Amino acid sequence: MGISDKAGSHWVDYEGDMTACQVTIRNLSHSYGDDEPLRVLDDISLDVQPGQFVSIVGPSGCGKSTLLRAIGGLLTPTSGEVMVDEQTPRQLQQKMGIGFVFQDPALLPWRSVRKNIDLPLEVAGGRTRRAGRKAVRELLDLVGLREFSSYPPYQLSGGMQQRVAIARALAFDPPLLLMDEPFGALDEITREAMRQELQRIWAAARKTVFFVTHSIREAALLSDRVIVLSPRPARVLGSFEVTLPRPRTEQTEDDPEFLACIGTLREALRLAA
Ligand code: ADP
Ligand code: MG
């Protein structure tokens, strides 16, 4: 997908190939609070290749969101480091190089779909230089919402709202996409559809993705690799490659290889508990 700047009004300070990035995590530990520190991340090290789709699973409260926030530069870890290509997450974030999608799509109710997607570009407007934005139209097509461009969010279903949030996260064509239980608030049928949708979007956009979920099935279906975390403080219990062919559909879920994969992940989590 090309980068275009048809409107010519928004410019981004982009350098190099921003398609996807390598992420290196070294001995990352984090505790919250000073007096009685709560240890949440315990010596996490990971190497993620450009364009990989990586899921993070683990019991509730183990530290998944904390890990994602550290990767996204939203939190300074107590020790250890995260590098994204040659930069810190914060440096990449300042260049609009990280897209975030949370459980709540957090759309502005008074702005249309198009204007919600356009918001980060509008906010960044002044201080940007080189063209690096996706035309909003291209993003609308990517998430299949062209016909709904002028709709207000309240006229969309939950799944559609979350697709707007994904488009908004991709507005700067960031090499890194961080998703924290993005389908957690959706009903199972919509969730199933969104899994297909996300695979299609990822195949087209080829970002490096970290995807937090507590659904083992979801992780196995979407990922190249699944990282299993222990209960708090989170340690990496295992990293599992999922080599099933794509696209993975509902039929994939009957595939013996898929079932074996689920079994392995379940076992890893059970051993931790
Ligand atoms: P998960 O996403 O796996 O459910 P979190 O990373 O959100 O887990 O939280 C891990 C632990 O850290 C929990 O015990 C939570 O209460 C605690 N925690 C999360 N954020 C903060 C914060 N900002 N300050 C203090 N404690 C926090
Ligand atoms: Mg969480």
Side-chain angles (χ1 to χ4, degrees):
M1 291 202 312
I3 286 169
S4 60
D5 185 41
K6 296 197 183 79
S9 54
H10 305 297
W11 300 88
V12 188
D13 203 4
Y14 263 22
E15 281 147 34
D17 176 12
M18 296 286 279
T19 310
C21 56
Q22 179 165 348
V23 178
T24 311
I25 302 174
R26 284 284 166 270
N27 307 108
L28 189 72
S29 293
H30 189 69
S31 301
Y32 287 111
D34 296 326
D35 298 338
E36 285 175 52
L38 182 75
R39 199 164 166 76
V40 177
L41 303 179
D42 183 16
D43 198 28
I44 292 183
S45 295
L46 286 173
D47 285 295
V48 170
Q49 296 312 309
Q52 263 196 332
F53 194 116
V54 178
S55 282
I56 299 169
V57 300
S60 182
C62 77
K64 301 182 293 298
S65 296
T66 302
L67 175 59
L68 207 69
R69 285 203 290 273
I71 297 170
L74 301 179
L75 134 97
T76 307
T78 312
S79 63
E81 67 168 12
V82 180
M83 292 299 285
V84 186
D85 291 335
E86 310 287 291
Q87 1 178 27
T88 64
R90 207 150 279 175
Q91 287 169 326
L92 185 63
Q93 203 208 97
Q94 278 160 3
K95 293 189 214 166
M96 309 294 163
I98 305 180
F100 293 94
V101 182
F102 300 103
Q103 184 167 321
D104 179 351
L107 304 178
L108 295 178
W110 61 88
R111 290 176 76 109
S112 65
V113 165
R114 182 168 43 77
K115 291 217 153 235
N116 266 286
I117 296 173
D118 202 35
L119 186 68
L121 303 165
E122 201 178 293
V123 171
R127 67 181 172 85
T128 50
R129 229 185 323 119
R130 212 148 69 73
R133 76 163 192 141
K134 293 252 173 237
V136 170
R137 176 181 286 265
E138 211 179 318
L139 290 162
L140 282 164
D141 284 344
L142 181 67
V143 298
L145 288 176
R146 178 182 281 207
E147 291 91 283
F148 299 91
S149 159
S150 58
Y151 277 51
Y154 70 84
Q155 285 180 5
L156 306 181
S157 68
M160 290 160 92
Q161 290 186 23
Q162 204 51 295
R163 282 191 273 156
V164 176
I166 294 171
R168 183 186 53 197
L170 294 173
F172 279 100
D173 203 15
L176 181 60
L177 183 61
L178 304 181
M179 310 183 86
D180 196 347
E181 308 210 33
F183 309 149
L186 304 176
D187 62 85
E188 190 50 34
I189 291 170
T190 307
R191 205 168 164 143
E192 194 63 58
M194 287 301 289
R195 287 171 188 149
Q196 297 307 317
E197 191 70 2
L198 179 59
Q199 284 193 78
R200 192 184 59 69
I201 293 168
W202 174 74
R206 277 289 160 179
K207 307 300 178 191
T208 304
V209 179
F210 282 87
F211 183 93
V212 169
T213 176
H214 52 238
S215 163
I216 291 177
R217 275 180 58 239
E218 187 163 275
L221 195 75
L222 293 174
S223 310
D224 296 318
R225 198 171 153 197
V226 181
I227 309 293
V228 178
L229 299 180
S230 70
R232 184 178 64 79
R235 284 174 297 109
V236 176
L237 291 176
S239 165
F240 302 89
E241 306 278 334
V242 187
T243 53
L244 290 156
R246 293 179 184 273
R248 300 175 189 153
T249 61
E250 277 176 74
Q251 279 78 52
T252 307
E253 298 185 32
D254 301 326
D255 187 317
E257 198 182 329
F258 182 80
L259 297 171
C261 176
I262 300 281
T264 308
L265 292 171
R266 240 184 228 134
E267 188 60 21
L269 278 166
R270 193 163 34 226
L271 286 175

